[in-house]
Amino acid sequence: MFDAYNLNDRVLLLIHAPFGINENWLYKFYEIQYEQKILSIIDKYSSKIIMCFNAHRHHDILRIYSSVNTTMGMIGHASLSPFLYLSNPSIRKYSYNRKSILLNDFEQYSLNIMEAEQTNKDIWRLSYKFSSWYHQSKELTSKTIENVVSLIRKDSFYLKRFLLSKYQAGNIKITQHQIFQTLCALTLFNFDEFILCVRVLENKNLSYNNYSFNNSLVLNVHINEQLIEYRIIYKRVVICFLFIFVITFGIIYQIFYKCNNEKE
């Protein structure tokens, strides 16, 4: 960090265990004194940090760490190994600008183990593309993650998509209480603040549907929802082409009409 700061360079921070709270099992990944030390270093050099990638949890997760002068996006990655969490193997492909070294987008791919066992074929399928899945521009920054986290907390449509990405495999039912825990863990790293946030949401009498996920359902929903996105994009492109065609045809017609009048 020190060298990058002095060289006016930029850093993509890669860590194994993420900061903050495991909202599923209610524990912190780091001892408080160690986490505070690491976050103080991040606060000091935050202007040079592009993003933070983390692993360990085997879940596709988004987080925002913020302090007085820092807003850092954190992206958790689903695992290539299905061990322990009973998730389908997943890999992620990032795209970036070679000149600015800024991230553009990513595509998430998964392998359906049950299907592979039955067919004896390994078929990696696109689960989703970040920009279209969360309706964001193709610029993956901490600000983008902050926007998506805000949408997840405010809109059940994006909350469902986030949960689908997080629990992309396995048989699980997400209760309303667990949804509250998920929402609070998006931005809170202090355990006391996290517990208080969950209690506040419960006292507000907010209502969320319980979600049930299983292997086949999640895969199909991912594919179907992504196809819906592509259809919307295709429709917009077709409408734009038709609009351009009508305008172009109108201009050509007017020119042709004027030319005929001049000849007469």
Side-chain angles (χ1 to χ4, degrees):
M1 291 288 196
F2 178 79
D3 291 340
Y5 187 83
N6 288 332
L7 294 171
N8 196 28
D9 206 348
R10 294 171 63 78
V11 174
L12 187 61
L13 184 60
L14 308 179
I15 61 176
H16 181 79
F19 314 122
I21 299 165
N22 185 325
E23 70 280 8
N24 294 341
W25 299 99
L26 300 181
Y27 70 86
K28 289 182 69 66
F29 295 99
Y30 291 80
E31 294 290 340
I32 293 177
Q33 64 270 27
Y34 299 131
E35 182 176 84
Q36 289 177 342
K37 179 62 176 177
I38 295 172
L39 294 178
S40 69
I41 296 172
I42 290 173
D43 289 338
K44 185 176 181 180
Y45 299 107
S46 61
S47 62
K48 301 301 178 185
I49 300 175
I50 300 172
M51 186 84 67
C52 177
F53 291 165
N54 57 78
H56 185 68
R57 297 193 61 180
H58 291 216
H59 284 313
D60 185 349
I61 294 176
L62 302 176
R63 292 282 188 273
I64 281 292
Y65 166 70
S66 59
S67 61
V68 177
N69 298 315
T70 306
T71 299
M72 182 180 72
M74 300 177 62
I75 301 180
H77 292 67
S79 175
L80 185 62
S81 167
F83 176 71
L84 188 61
Y85 290 88
L86 301 179
S87 60
N88 283 327
S90 298
I91 55 176
R92 183 171 290 175
K93 176 186 176 183
Y94 283 93
S95 58
Y96 67 96
N97 187 305
R98 289 179 178 270
K99 293 183 178 180
S100 63
I101 316 299
L102 290 177
L103 299 170
N104 294 328
D105 209 343
F106 71 74
E107 296 174 351
Q108 183 80 15
Y109 293 87
S110 64
L111 172 67
N112 188 315
I113 297 179
M114 296 176 65
E115 180 182 307
E117 284 289 328
Q118 294 171 356
T119 63
N120 202 29
K121 293 181 180 179
D122 298 340
I123 302 175
W124 290 84
R125 291 189 175 90
L126 175 67
S127 295
Y128 72 97
K129 189 173 184 178
F130 180 85
S131 58
S132 59
W133 188 245
Y134 289 114
H135 299 152
Q136 299 295 306
S137 62
K138 291 187 178 182
E139 186 179 74
L140 190 55
T141 64
S142 291
K143 184 62 178 177
T144 308
I145 302 301
E146 186 179 26
N147 291 338
V148 172
V149 166
S150 178
L151 288 171
I152 293 169
R153 299 188 76 170
K154 294 177 181 178
D155 193 326
S156 59
F157 174 83
Y158 294 100
L159 171 62
K160 180 183 177 182
R161 292 201 162 191
F162 176 69
L163 293 174
L164 281 168
S165 302
K166 180 180 178 182
Y167 301 105
Q168 53 95 11
N171 297 307
I172 188 169
K173 181 178 181 179
I174 310 300
T175 65
Q176 182 165 272
H177 180 73
Q178 290 172 316
I179 290 175
F180 291 154
Q181 291 176 323
T182 297
L183 294 175
C184 292
L186 289 170
T187 56
L188 298 177
F189 290 69
N190 180 283
F191 206 86
D192 292 335
E193 292 177 347
F194 168 79
I195 295 298
L196 178 60
C197 172
V198 174
R199 289 175 179 172
V200 168
L201 291 179
E202 289 179 332
N203 291 333
K204 284 185 177 180
N205 294 321
L206 298 175
S207 178
Y208 289 95
N209 294 325
N210 294 338
Y211 294 107
S212 296
F213 300 132
N214 59 62
N215 288 328
S216 59
L217 172 65
V218 173
L219 180 62
N220 290 334
V221 170
H222 263 108
I223 294 173
N224 290 337
E225 297 234 6
Q226 194 70 66
L227 286 175
I228 291 172
E229 292 301 315
Y230 287 144
R231 289 192 190 104
I232 293 173
I233 294 171
Y234 293 151
K235 285 180 181 178
R236 289 174 180 173
V237 170
V238 170
I239 290 172
C240 287
F241 272 117
L242 286 174
F243 184 71
I244 293 171
F245 174 78
V246 170
I247 293 176
T248 304
F249 179 79
I251 293 172
I252 294 173
Y253 177 79
Q254 288 181 354
I255 294 172
F256 182 77
Y257 182 77
K258 287 182 180 179
C259 289
N260 286 339
N261 287 339
E262 289 176 359
K263 289 179 179 179
E264 293 175 359

